[in-house]
Amino acid sequence: DSGVTQTPKHLITATGQRVTLRCSPRSGDLSVYWYQQSLDQGLQFLIHYYNGEERAKGNILERFSAQQFPDLHSELNLSSLELGDSALYFCASSPTILIDRGEKLFFGSGTQLSVL
Amino acid sequence: AQKITQTQPGMFVQEKEAVTLDCTYDTSDPSYGLFWYKQPSSGEMIFLIYQGSYDQQNATEGRYSLNFQKARKSANLVISASQLGDSAMYFCAMREGRSFGNEKLTFGTGTRLTIIP
């Protein structure tokens, strides 16, 4: 158990809908990262929050947004869903910003999103 | 250009044999870190081993070792005495430098390893 909690584990929804994925980082970790894993794109970095503030954006669509709350949990909001958004969405956390030697990402078990 | 390249989409290895999973990387930053993660069929991502760009010795963690060849920009994972439980997808990843916005891991496409009894 990595200590990173993601809910829900599975989500089935229809095109055009909006969903919210939730992530609780490991106790004490200030950074939260979101990744999308699909068969054709592999593991793609979406966005990184550190202590409530956005640090970096990757290949995140404008239909997607995220935030990190004062208690450090994070939510990823996906709207106007399309079939191609079906993927496994991972949240990962780290103590700071991967600056220390060997500091690594701890991954949650992911949310499997199916858009029908 | 791909920052992390894993050229072996799949590998089949006999149980108890050693296996090497290839990873090459591309960066101009002198300070970087290389990681390997394992993803079993259950889906979770499990950290295996880390190598820093300034490390003089190859990293080892139990049955895992990293064959780090800096000049060739390769960081191959070696699993000794493979076990059936090693069957999984393996990802190589890199963290480049320390500049703002680079505080993330970039992953390769992965290698699916299957251990044959």
Side-chain angles (χ1 to χ4, degrees), chain A residues 2 12 18 24-25 27 35 38 42 49 58 62 70 76 90 95 108 111 115:
Chain A
S2 68
I12 301 174
R18 172 189 167 93
S24 293
S27 177
Y35 282 84
S38 60
Y49 278 86
E62 285 193 11
L76 178 67
F90 281 111
T111 293
V115 182

Side-chain angles (χ1 to χ4, degrees), chain B residues 35-101:
Chain B
F35 301 75
W36 278 91
Y37 280 82
K38 171 184 178 182
Q39 186 178 36
S41 57
S42 51
E44 73 269 31
M45 295 285 286
I46 302 167
F47 167 79
L48 295 179
I49 197 166
Y50 165 84
Q51 181 85 42
S53 59
Y54 294 118
D55 291 345
Q56 295 296 312
Q57 296 194 339
N58 288 342
T60 60
E61 291 281 354
R63 293 188 299 114
Y64 304 108
S65 61
L66 206 151
N67 183 0
F68 181 46
Q69 298 188 43
K70 198 169 180 176
R72 293 187 174 188
K73 293 189 175 178
S74 75
N76 298 338
L77 177 70
V78 180
I79 305 174
S80 64
S82 57
Q83 302 170 356
L84 295 179
D86 293 333
S87 293
M89 197 76 170
Y90 288 80
F91 291 95
C92 180
M94 177 173 64
R95 189 239 194 262
E96 290 182 274
R98 298 188 171 198
S99 58
F100 185 90

